[in-house]
Amino acid sequence: MSIRVVFFNINMYSLFDALSKAPVGGSEVQLFNVARFLSQSSGFDVSVITGDWGQKLLDKKDGIRIYRSFSIEEKIMNYLKAPFLMWRALKAVDADVYVASSAGTEIGILALFCRVYGKKFVYRTAHQIDCNRDYELNNGWRGRLYGFGLRNTSIIVTQNVEYQEKKDKNGLSSIVIRNSFALN
């Protein structure tokens, strides 16, 4: 029996398709590295949920299933549809563990989904705004939804002790797992 793990990141699609216009940063690379490593390890069934970058609803590359969720194009209909499309993708994956790393409203939606369905939710911090509450306190309802997500994780992973200390100071305990780098 394998553990079903899904990594959620709207912009990670570019790491599977070099022609994609999805912007990539360190957070995407870190999740991609861990997803690839687990997909090559026995005992794990790995999926990824990304944004809608024009790809198929479901694709498979390098042994990883890639699910499309919502478009980030700034249109009112996209904002209205996004939570439902995200929920549909989360439900389609039906993982045991959901992993995300991005400050935004989707973290609150993901935490709610995991709470409703009794799933584990791992949040990985990517920036100091994930740890010092700046995003949560300075972004109105979006920040509050993100804060709800942080308070409803199974575990928070920071990439260094400094971030862990900021999390602890703000009442959220965490563990440190340093960044990974491919050595190929």
Side-chain angles (χ1 to χ4, degrees):
M1 183 173 160
S2 60
I3 298 171
R4 294 171 309 195
V5 181
V6 65
F7 293 86
F8 178 88
N9 187 286
I10 294 168
N11 295 324
M12 199 185 331
Y13 190 68
S14 284
L15 295 165
F16 293 99
D17 182 349
L19 299 177
S20 171
K21 292 184 175 18
V24 174
S27 181
E28 289 79 15
V29 171
Q30 291 302 308
L31 290 184
F32 177 77
N33 286 343
V34 175
R36 267 193 23 206
F37 176 79
L38 290 179
S39 73
Q40 296 166 0
S41 305
S42 63
F44 293 95
D45 180 6
V46 179
S47 299
V48 168
I49 298 175
T50 70
D52 181 349
W53 298 97
Q55 76 273 30
K56 295 185 284 186
L57 190 58
L58 174 60
D59 200 359
K60 189 169 187 174
K61 295 185 183 197
D62 300 324
I64 299 173
R65 280 184 310 287
I66 305 163
Y67 291 81
R68 180 184 76 204
S69 63
F70 57 89
S71 172
I72 63 163
E73 192 175 355
E74 294 183 10
K75 294 182 177 180
I76 189 70
M77 284 309 294
N78 287 342
Y79 290 127
L80 295 174
K81 294 187 308 186
F84 302 102
L85 294 173
M86 181 178 167
W87 197 277
R88 179 184 72 184
L90 294 169
K91 187 86 171 121
V93 172
D94 190 32
D96 302 309
V97 180
Y98 291 75
V99 182
S101 180
S102 60
T105 57
E106 61 274 9
I107 299 308
I109 295 167
L110 182 48
L112 178 62
F113 176 88
C114 289
R115 194 170 188 184
V116 166
Y117 291 102
K119 306 293 185 172
K120 299 293 182 190
F121 174 35
V122 177
Y123 183 75
R124 179 195 167 276
T125 64
H127 191 276
Q128 67 180 352
I129 65 167
D130 294 327
C131 305
N132 62 13
R133 296 191 70 205
D134 279 357
Y135 187 88
E136 183 180 355
L137 298 173
N138 296 314
N139 286 284
W141 67 269
R142 290 180 174 140
R144 287 190 295 282
L145 190 55
Y146 168 69
F148 168 83
L150 289 181
R151 287 184 299 284
N152 286 279
T153 60
S154 302
I155 191 165
I156 297 174
V157 175
T158 63
Q159 51 193 313
N160 59 52
V161 174
E162 177 189 349
Y163 286 2
Q164 182 183 37
E165 289 170 351
K166 287 180 182 181
K167 279 295 218 213
D168 290 347
K169 180 180 169 191
N170 287 298
L172 297 170
S173 62
S174 61
I175 64 166
V176 176
I177 299 177
R178 299 200 186 280
N179 288 339
S180 64
F181 300 96
L183 298 175
N184 49 359

